[in-house]
Amino acid sequence: MSEKKKQLFGTNGVRGIVGELITPDLVMKIGMAVGSMRPGTIAVGMDTRTSGPALINAMKAGLMATGCDVIDCGILPTPALQYIVMNRYSAGVVITASHNPGEYNGVKVIEKDGTEMDDEASIEIEERVFSYNFDLKEWKDVGVIIPEGDLVTKYIEGVVKKVPEKIGEGMKVVIDPGCGAAFRTTAEILKSIGCQVFTLNAYPDGNFPARDPEPSIEGLAPLADMVVSTGAAFGVAHDGDADRAVFIDDKGRFVEENKEFALVAEYICSNKKGVLVTPVSTSRLIETVISPHGCMVDYTAVGSIYVARRMRALLSEGKPVVFGGEGNGGLIYPNHQFCRDGGMTAAMMVILLANKKQPLSSLVDALPPSVMLKHKFHTKNAEQILAAVKEKFAQDSLNLVDGIRIDRKDAWALIRPSGTEPLVRLYVESIDEAFAKSFETELLSCISSFI
């Protein structure tokens, strides 16, 4: 029997263009499926997209039709909803398309432990949606909306509690939430720990008039200018649902996300020994900076859900897990919660700089060299490509957890098919550009006949 595969759900929930894949009808059916599978009280929230109100109401209708009571948290970051749900409600649902452009929206389902729903349960939702298999209730047993007031403050307080009191005293910071879900949260977190905060694009607008929800070097040019003009220690920007944070240093330079991850990982591992969990697509820079502190890397498939679940599994085995995350600005703090949290990462940068007593630009420049080459190929021959690579590089150290990662002393590469599109991605990294290019040539010659 072949393994069941997700059809609607990708790595992070269901996502698509509104009015095409994403409709109120589909969202209501997902709501009825979630309500049938996770009866009880469900917390719902959304990012700032213009389609959010229509879709969240469809979700609430689906949940209540199956007898679930609903807590509507309004607009908030995905990690805020995850924090609110954790060990308090039966499940949670966020209406968000994260970093995708404004015409997209989607659905992320959160389990009662605050982590995203796994593949097996996501497939069950799909099967229920496709077969219209819902546990619908009679008129007297349908659910209700329960007013709970402002729950977002609980999340803000939860982050602040994890941070030394007034650690940001005297530090200037600029925040660009990009008109997304963190339009108030990160500013309140950093003000609460003593920072002097400047903001831009700190208002909710699902048209995203200032920049795309995906933070890019070009889109963050106004943030970089403001960091330099205010003399700020750093600038921080979020994607649409603020589970990620990316940084601009004090010189106005974009900090590549793997370098951000390396800085935070090195700081955490210098204070605590244990395991760091990250996907096979992450830079080896992380291994390089944490190994002198006696920490080791455990690699997972690509996707924050796999990182979070692996962290929990290792902890349940009694292993010390100190940190986790991805090389895209999505970092996971196990003593806080098991999901990517952009607000916590912003606060972590304040802690790091307050303790290191050096400018962010100096810390970035002191990192070991790293050259990463990236390609993506539109192809339907993913299986043939993987077979060819496996055969050609059989003598190398191979990690097959997600695609094929080839580890050599002076370089590594990952060749990985997309889970949602007819695409194959190739990453090659080395400390030396010549090594990286040579390895890249080897790989391209191996797969060129299939692309």
Side-chain angles (χ1 to χ4, degrees):
M1 200 172 83
S2 66
E3 190 187 341
K4 287 182 181 174
K5 287 198 167 157
K6 294 182 287 186
Q7 296 173 64
L8 289 171
F9 282 75
T11 310
N12 290 108
V14 181
R15 231 179 263 176
I17 293 174
V18 174
E20 293 179 15
L21 174 65
I22 303 298
T23 62
D25 179 58
L26 175 64
V27 172
M28 185 170 73
K29 286 175 182 166
I30 293 170
M32 292 192 288
V34 172
S36 302
M37 290 164 58
R38 302 289 185 264
T41 303
I42 313 276
V44 300
M46 61 184 179
D47 66 18
T48 59
R49 289 162 197 276
T50 54
S51 54
L55 298 175
I56 201 169
N57 282 313
M59 175 55 65
K60 290 191 282 189
L63 292 168
M64 289 189 289
T66 57
C68 291
D69 293 334
V70 173
I71 312 285
D72 189 344
C73 301
I75 293 172
L76 78 175
T78 294
L81 189 98
Q82 291 178 275
Y83 186 85
I84 289 162
V85 166
M86 189 169 45
N87 306 325
R88 189 170 179 201
Y89 298 120
S90 302
V93 180
V94 198
I95 304 297
T96 179
S98 189
H99 61 273
N100 287 94
E103 65 269 25
Y104 284 75
N105 215 329
V107 179
K108 279 186 186 178
V109 185
I110 309 303
E111 297 285 20
K112 68 179 181 183
D113 64 359
T115 62
E116 289 168 46
M117 186 170 262
D118 67 15
D119 291 352
E120 201 177 323
S122 299
I123 289 167
E124 186 185 335
I125 288 181
E126 292 179 350
E127 288 173 345
R128 284 175 177 271
V129 166
F130 298 146
S131 61
Y132 207 84
N133 173 20
F134 309 122
D135 185 14
L136 300 175
K137 301 300 183 193
E138 293 181 22
W139 64 274
K140 63 184 189 310
D141 295 323
V142 297
V144 297
I145 303 278
I146 301 174
E148 269 273 15
D150 176 25
L151 290 173
V152 181
T153 299
K154 281 189 184 300
Y155 160 73
I156 292 166
E157 289 167 352
V159 175
V160 171
K161 267 193 299 211
K162 296 288 177 191
V163 178
E165 208 172 323
K166 298 294 175 193
I167 187 90
E169 206 78 79
M171 194 182 292
K172 287 183 193 170
V173 178
V174 188
I175 302 166
D176 175 7
C179 300
F183 69 93
R184 62 170 271 219
T185 48
T186 301
E188 287 189 26
I189 289 165
L190 297 193
K191 281 176 188 167
S192 297
I193 62 175
C195 295
Q196 183 183 350
V197 170
F198 301 88
T199 61
L200 72 164
N201 309 320
Y203 58 94
D205 189 337
N207 295 299
F208 302 107
R211 64 169 177 84
D212 285 338
E214 174 74 80
S216 66
I217 295 174
E218 304 74 41
L220 299 185
L223 174 62
D225 290 344
M226 201 165 173
V227 168
V228 173
S229 65
T230 56
F234 66 86
V236 60
H238 297 296
D239 58 337
D241 70 336
D243 58 356
R244 290 158 47 201
V246 301
F247 294 93
I248 299 289
D249 72 14
D250 49 291
K251 291 183 175 175
R253 302 178 306 181
F254 182 85
V255 180
E256 197 273 322
E257 294 95 331
N258 280 292
K259 293 185 175 181
E260 163 197 339
F261 189 1
L263 288 176
V264 179
E266 192 277 334
Y267 176 74
I268 287 173
C269 290
S270 69
N271 291 292
K272 201 172 177 188
K273 267 192 191 147
V275 181
L276 181 152
V277 182
T278 194
V280 285
S281 55
T282 300
S283 169
R284 199 190 267 173
L285 197 51
I286 311 305
E287 269 186 56
T288 306
V289 300
I290 71 169
S291 55
H293 299 294
C295 289
M296 61 167 286
V297 172
D298 186 284
Y299 286 109
T300 70
V302 175
S304 60
I305 178 61
Y306 306 117
V307 177
R309 292 286 162 98
R310 180 67 178 154
M311 290 169 82
R312 294 200 90 129
L314 289 169
L315 282 166
S316 69
E317 292 167 16
K319 305 248 171 69
V321 175
V322 293
F323 193 39
E326 303 174 291
N328 61 5
L331 307 183
I332 302 174
Y333 304 83
N335 69 339
H336 170 51
Q337 60 174 340
F338 288 88
C339 65
R340 301 181 297 190
D341 192 333
M344 186 71 205
T345 299
M348 191 69 218
M349 186 58 76
V350 175
I351 297 170
L352 189 154
L353 293 178
N355 281 283
K356 291 279 188 182
K357 297 187 169 40
Q358 284 182 62
L360 179 53
S361 55
S362 302
L363 296 172
V364 170
D365 290 343
L367 284 168
S370 157
V371 177
M372 192 182 278
L373 309 173
K374 294 181 183 180
H375 297 275
K376 64 179 177 185
F377 309 106
H378 289 267
T379 174
K380 292 187 173 156
N381 301 322
E383 286 187 20
Q384 294 96 310
I385 287 171
L386 291 181
V389 169
K390 197 171 175 184
E391 186 182 348
K392 169 94 187 279
F393 296 92
Q395 301 309 308
D396 283 284
S397 170
L398 303 182
N399 181 326
L400 308 179
V401 74
D402 191 353
I404 300 175
R405 177 166 165 143
I406 308 162
D407 278 291
R408 290 180 173 175
K409 187 171 178 226
D410 51 22
W412 67 270
L414 173 70
I415 188 128
R416 175 183 175 266
S418 164
T420 52
E421 303 169 87
L423 271 184
V424 170
R425 289 186 170 84
L426 171 64
Y427 304 82
V428 182
E429 186 189 38
S430 175
I431 58 168
D432 183 287
E433 190 170 6
F435 282 148
K437 287 238 157 72
S438 161
F439 198 5
E440 175 190 50
T441 303
E442 263 187 87
L443 280 151
L444 291 175
S445 69
C446 172
I447 65 174
S448 58
S449 58
F450 303 106
I451 53 180

mmCIF file with all atom_site columns, all heavy atoms in Angstrom, residues 83-97:
data_model
loop_
_atom_site.group_PDB
_atom_site.id
_atom_site.type_symbol
_atom_site.label_atom_id
_atom_site.label_alt_id
_atom_site.label_comp_id
_atom_site.label_asym_id
_atom_site.label_entity_id
_atom_site.label_seq_id
_atom_site.pdbx_PDB_ins_code
_atom_site.Cartn_x
_atom_site.Cartn_y
_atom_site.Cartn_z
_atom_site.occupancy
_atom_site.B_iso_or_equiv
_atom_site.pdbx_formal_charge
_atom_site.auth_seq_id
_atom_site.auth_comp_id
_atom_site.auth_asym_id
_atom_site.auth_atom_id
_atom_site.pdbx_PDB_model_num
ATOM 1   N N   . TYR A 1 83 ? 0.609   30.323 21.647 1.00 0.00 ? 83 TYR A N   1
ATOM 2   C CA  . TYR A 1 83 ? 0.841   30.518 23.088 1.00 0.00 ? 83 TYR A CA  1
ATOM 3   C C   . TYR A 1 83 ? -0.490  30.489 23.849 1.00 0.00 ? 83 TYR A C   1
ATOM 4   O O   . TYR A 1 83 ? -0.593  29.890 24.921 1.00 0.00 ? 83 TYR A O   1
ATOM 5   C CB  . TYR A 1 83 ? 1.557   31.856 23.320 1.00 0.00 ? 83 TYR A CB  1
ATOM 6   C CG  . TYR A 1 83 ? 1.968   32.075 24.753 1.00 0.00 ? 83 TYR A CG  1
ATOM 7   C CD1 . TYR A 1 83 ? 3.174   31.562 25.233 1.00 0.00 ? 83 TYR A CD1 1
ATOM 8   C CD2 . TYR A 1 83 ? 1.148   32.785 25.640 1.00 0.00 ? 83 TYR A CD2 1
ATOM 9   C CE1 . TYR A 1 83 ? 3.554   31.749 26.553 1.00 0.00 ? 83 TYR A CE1 1
ATOM 10  C CE2 . TYR A 1 83 ? 1.520   32.978 26.960 1.00 0.00 ? 83 TYR A CE2 1
ATOM 11  C CZ  . TYR A 1 83 ? 2.726   32.454 27.419 1.00 0.00 ? 83 TYR A CZ  1
ATOM 12  O OH  . TYR A 1 83 ? 3.095   32.635 28.727 1.00 0.00 ? 83 TYR A OH  1
ATOM 13  N N   . ILE A 1 84 ? -1.500  31.135 23.277 1.00 0.00 ? 84 ILE A N   1
ATOM 14  C CA  . ILE A 1 84 ? -2.828  31.204 23.915 1.00 0.00 ? 84 ILE A CA  1
ATOM 15  C C   . ILE A 1 84 ? -3.467  29.813 23.994 1.00 0.00 ? 84 ILE A C   1
ATOM 16  O O   . ILE A 1 84 ? -4.078  29.444 24.993 1.00 0.00 ? 84 ILE A O   1
ATOM 17  C CB  . ILE A 1 84 ? -3.731  32.199 23.139 1.00 0.00 ? 84 ILE A CB  1
ATOM 18  C CG1 . ILE A 1 84 ? -3.250  33.634 23.367 1.00 0.00 ? 84 ILE A CG1 1
ATOM 19  C CG2 . ILE A 1 84 ? -5.201  32.051 23.521 1.00 0.00 ? 84 ILE A CG2 1
ATOM 20  C CD1 . ILE A 1 84 ? -3.757  34.638 22.339 1.00 0.00 ? 84 ILE A CD1 1
ATOM 21  N N   . VAL A 1 85 ? -3.313  29.030 22.921 1.00 0.00 ? 85 VAL A N   1
ATOM 22  C CA  . VAL A 1 85 ? -3.918  27.687 22.859 1.00 0.00 ? 85 VAL A CA  1
ATOM 23  C C   . VAL A 1 85 ? -3.238  26.715 23.812 1.00 0.00 ? 85 VAL A C   1
ATOM 24  O O   . VAL A 1 85 ? -3.893  25.889 24.451 1.00 0.00 ? 85 VAL A O   1
ATOM 25  C CB  . VAL A 1 85 ? -3.845  27.124 21.414 1.00 0.00 ? 85 VAL A CB  1
ATOM 26  C CG1 . VAL A 1 85 ? -4.147  25.626 21.374 1.00 0.00 ? 85 VAL A CG1 1
ATOM 27  C CG2 . VAL A 1 85 ? -4.797  27.880 20.503 1.00 0.00 ? 85 VAL A CG2 1
ATOM 28  N N   . MET A 1 86 ? -1.904  26.834 23.943 1.00 0.00 ? 86 MET A N   1
ATOM 29  C CA  . MET A 1 86 ? -1.078  25.838 24.628 1.00 0.00 ? 86 MET A CA  1
ATOM 30  C C   . MET A 1 86 ? -1.634  25.442 25.992 1.00 0.00 ? 86 MET A C   1
ATOM 31  O O   . MET A 1 86 ? -1.733  26.271 26.900 1.00 0.00 ? 86 MET A O   1
ATOM 32  C CB  . MET A 1 86 ? 0.348   26.391 24.781 1.00 0.00 ? 86 MET A CB  1
ATOM 33  C CG  . MET A 1 86 ? 1.345   25.391 25.284 1.00 0.00 ? 86 MET A CG  1
ATOM 34  S SD  . MET A 1 86 ? 3.058   26.001 25.141 1.00 0.00 ? 86 MET A SD  1
ATOM 35  C CE  . MET A 1 86 ? 2.966   27.674 25.750 1.00 0.00 ? 86 MET A CE  1
ATOM 36  N N   . ASN A 1 87 ? -2.043  24.167 26.081 1.00 0.00 ? 87 ASN A N   1
ATOM 37  C CA  . ASN A 1 87 ? -2.553  23.574 27.321 1.00 0.00 ? 87 ASN A CA  1
ATOM 38  C C   . ASN A 1 87 ? -3.766  24.294 27.898 1.00 0.00 ? 87 ASN A C   1
ATOM 39  O O   . ASN A 1 87 ? -4.054  24.172 29.090 1.00 0.00 ? 87 ASN A O   1
ATOM 40  C CB  . ASN A 1 87 ? -1.430  23.501 28.381 1.00 0.00 ? 87 ASN A CB  1
ATOM 41  C CG  . ASN A 1 87 ? -0.212  22.775 27.860 1.00 0.00 ? 87 ASN A CG  1
ATOM 42  O OD1 . ASN A 1 87 ? -0.334  21.832 27.089 1.00 0.00 ? 87 ASN A OD1 1
ATOM 43  N ND2 . ASN A 1 87 ? 0.971   23.231 28.232 1.00 0.00 ? 87 ASN A ND2 1
ATOM 44  N N   . ARG A 1 88 ? -4.484  25.046 27.049 1.00 0.00 ? 88 ARG A N   1
ATOM 45  C CA  . ARG A 1 88 ? -5.647  25.769 27.543 1.00 0.00 ? 88 ARG A CA  1
ATOM 46  C C   . ARG A 1 88 ? -6.916  25.427 26.765 1.00 0.00 ? 88 ARG A C   1
ATOM 47  O O   . ARG A 1 88 ? -8.001  25.367 27.334 1.00 0.00 ? 88 ARG A O   1
ATOM 48  C CB  . ARG A 1 88 ? -5.360  27.276 27.449 1.00 0.00 ? 88 ARG A CB  1
ATOM 49  C CG  . ARG A 1 88 ? -6.404  28.119 28.137 1.00 0.00 ? 88 ARG A CG  1
ATOM 50  C CD  . ARG A 1 88 ? -5.992  29.565 28.244 1.00 0.00 ? 88 ARG A CD  1
ATOM 51  N NE  . ARG A 1 88 ? -7.059  30.324 28.886 1.00 0.00 ? 88 ARG A NE  1
ATOM 52  C CZ  . ARG A 1 88 ? -7.205  31.624 28.791 1.00 0.00 ? 88 ARG A CZ  1
ATOM 53  N NH1 . ARG A 1 88 ? -6.354  32.320 28.074 1.00 0.00 ? 88 ARG A NH1 1
ATOM 54  N NH2 . ARG A 1 88 ? -8.194  32.242 29.387 1.00 0.00 ? 88 ARG A NH2 1
ATOM 55  N N   . TYR A 1 89 ? -6.769  25.237 25.440 1.00 0.00 ? 89 TYR A N   1
ATOM 56  C CA  . TYR A 1 89 ? -7.924  24.931 24.594 1.00 0.00 ? 89 TYR A CA  1
ATOM 57  C C   . TYR A 1 89 ? -7.710  23.623 23.839 1.00 0.00 ? 89 TYR A C   1
ATOM 58  O O   . TYR A 1 89 ? -6.587  23.114 23.767 1.00 0.00 ? 89 TYR A O   1
ATOM 59  C CB  . TYR A 1 89 ? -8.178  26.084 23.613 1.00 0.00 ? 89 TYR A CB  1
ATOM 60  C CG  . TYR A 1 89 ? -8.499  27.391 24.309 1.00 0.00 ? 89 TYR A CG  1
ATOM 61  C CD1 . TYR A 1 89 ? -7.703  28.521 24.120 1.00 0.00 ? 89 TYR A CD1 1
ATOM 62  C CD2 . TYR A 1 89 ? -9.575  27.485 25.185 1.00 0.00 ? 89 TYR A CD2 1
ATOM 63  C CE1 . TYR A 1 89 ? -7.981  29.711 24.770 1.00 0.00 ? 89 TYR A CE1 1
ATOM 64  C CE2 . TYR A 1 89 ? -9.858  28.675 25.844 1.00 0.00 ? 89 TYR A CE2 1
ATOM 65  C CZ  . TYR A 1 89 ? -9.055  29.790 25.632 1.00 0.00 ? 89 TYR A CZ  1
ATOM 66  O OH  . TYR A 1 89 ? -9.343  30.963 26.292 1.00 0.00 ? 89 TYR A OH  1
ATOM 67  N N   . SER A 1 90 ? -8.779  23.105 23.258 1.00 0.00 ? 90 SER A N   1
ATOM 68  C CA  . SER A 1 90 ? -8.706  21.811 22.545 1.00 0.00 ? 90 SER A CA  1
ATOM 69  C C   . SER A 1 90 ? -7.860  21.907 21.283 1.00 0.00 ? 90 SER A C   1
ATOM 70  O O   . SER A 1 90 ? -7.251  20.931 20.847 1.00 0.00 ? 90 SER A O   1
ATOM 71  C CB  . SER A 1 90 ? -10.103 21.333 22.166 1.00 0.00 ? 90 SER A CB  1
ATOM 72  O OG  . SER A 1 90 ? -10.907 21.216 23.315 1.00 0.00 ? 90 SER A OG  1
ATOM 73  N N   . ALA A 1 91 ? -7.870  23.075 20.651 1.00 0.00 ? 91 ALA A N   1
ATOM 74  C CA  . ALA A 1 91 ? -7.091  23.300 19.414 1.00 0.00 ? 91 ALA A CA  1
ATOM 75  C C   . ALA A 1 91 ? -7.165  24.785 19.084 1.00 0.00 ? 91 ALA A C   1
ATOM 76  O O   . ALA A 1 91 ? -7.819  25.569 19.793 1.00 0.00 ? 91 ALA A O   1
ATOM 77  C CB  . ALA A 1 91 ? -7.653  22.466 18.260 1.00 0.00 ? 91 ALA A CB  1
ATOM 78  N N   . GLY A 1 92 ? -6.501  25.160 17.989 1.00 0.00 ? 92 GLY A N   1
ATOM 79  C CA  . GLY A 1 92 ? -6.551  26.538 17.512 1.00 0.00 ? 92 GLY A CA  1
ATOM 80  C C   . GLY A 1 92 ? -6.476  26.549 15.999 1.00 0.00 ? 92 GLY A C   1
ATOM 81  O O   . GLY A 1 92 ? -6.000  25.585 15.388 1.00 0.00 ? 92 GLY A O   1
ATOM 82  N N   . VAL A 1 93 ? -6.957  27.629 15.401 1.00 0.00 ? 93 VAL A N   1
ATOM 83  C CA  . VAL A 1 93 ? -6.865  27.778 13.948 1.00 0.00 ? 93 VAL A CA  1
ATOM 84  C C   . VAL A 1 93 ? -6.480  29.218 13.641 1.00 0.00 ? 93 VAL A C   1
ATOM 85  O O   . VAL A 1 93 ? -7.059  30.149 14.201 1.00 0.00 ? 93 VAL A O   1
ATOM 86  C CB  . VAL A 1 93 ? -8.204  27.460 13.250 1.00 0.00 ? 93 VAL A CB  1
ATOM 87  C CG1 . VAL A 1 93 ? -8.057  27.618 11.739 1.00 0.00 ? 93 VAL A CG1 1
ATOM 88  C CG2 . VAL A 1 93 ? -8.687  26.057 13.582 1.00 0.00 ? 93 VAL A CG2 1
ATOM 89  N N   . VAL A 1 94 ? -5.485  29.396 12.776 1.00 0.00 ? 94 VAL A N   1
ATOM 90  C CA  . VAL A 1 94 ? -5.095  30.735 12.323 1.00 0.00 ? 94 VAL A CA  1
ATOM 91  C C   . VAL A 1 94 ? -5.403  30.856 10.836 1.00 0.00 ? 94 VAL A C   1
ATOM 92  O O   . VAL A 1 94 ? -5.025  29.986 10.041 1.00 0.00 ? 94 VAL A O   1
ATOM 93  C CB  . VAL A 1 94 ? -3.586  31.016 12.502 1.00 0.00 ? 94 VAL A CB  1
ATOM 94  C CG1 . VAL A 1 94 ? -3.315  32.516 12.451 1.00 0.00 ? 94 VAL A CG1 1
ATOM 95  C CG2 . VAL A 1 94 ? -3.069  30.445 13.793 1.00 0.00 ? 94 VAL A CG2 1
ATOM 96  N N   . ILE A 1 95 ? -6.074  31.945 10.468 1.00 0.00 ? 95 ILE A N   1
ATOM 97  C CA  . ILE A 1 95 ? -6.308  32.258 9.057  1.00 0.00 ? 95 ILE A CA  1
ATOM 98  C C   . ILE A 1 95 ? -5.144  33.143 8.620  1.00 0.00 ? 95 ILE A C   1
ATOM 99  O O   . ILE A 1 95 ? -5.058  34.317 8.996  1.00 0.00 ? 95 ILE A O   1
ATOM 100 C CB  . ILE A 1 95 ? -7.657  32.987 8.856  1.00 0.00 ? 95 ILE A CB  1
ATOM 101 C CG1 . ILE A 1 95 ? -8.814  32.157 9.444  1.00 0.00 ? 95 ILE A CG1 1
ATOM 102 C CG2 . ILE A 1 95 ? -7.882  33.304 7.381  1.00 0.00 ? 95 ILE A CG2 1
ATOM 103 C CD1 . ILE A 1 95 ? -9.035  30.809 8.804  1.00 0.00 ? 95 ILE A CD1 1
ATOM 104 N N   . THR A 1 96 ? -4.199  32.557 7.870  1.00 0.00 ? 96 THR A N   1
ATOM 105 C CA  . THR A 1 96 ? -2.995  33.289 7.468  1.00 0.00 ? 96 THR A CA  1
ATOM 106 C C   . THR A 1 96 ? -2.362  32.644 6.248  1.00 0.00 ? 96 THR A C   1
ATOM 107 O O   . THR A 1 96 ? -2.506  31.440 6.032  1.00 0.00 ? 96 THR A O   1
ATOM 108 C CB  . THR A 1 96 ? -1.949  33.314 8.610  1.00 0.00 ? 96 THR A CB  1
ATOM 109 O OG1 . THR A 1 96 ? -0.777  34.018 8.161  1.00 0.00 ? 96 THR A OG1 1
ATOM 110 C CG2 . THR A 1 96 ? -1.530  31.910 9.044  1.00 0.00 ? 96 THR A CG2 1
ATOM 111 N N   . ALA A 1 97 ? -1.663  33.460 5.457  1.00 0.00 ? 97 ALA A N   1
ATOM 112 C CA  . ALA A 1 97 ? -0.808  32.917 4.398  1.00 0.00 ? 97 ALA A CA  1
ATOM 113 C C   . ALA A 1 97 ? 0.634   33.317 4.651  1.00 0.00 ? 97 ALA A C   1
ATOM 114 O O   . ALA A 1 97 ? 1.447   33.365 3.733  1.00 0.00 ? 97 ALA A O   1
ATOM 115 C CB  . ALA A 1 97 ? -1.282  33.374 3.026  1.00 0.00 ? 97 ALA A CB  1
#
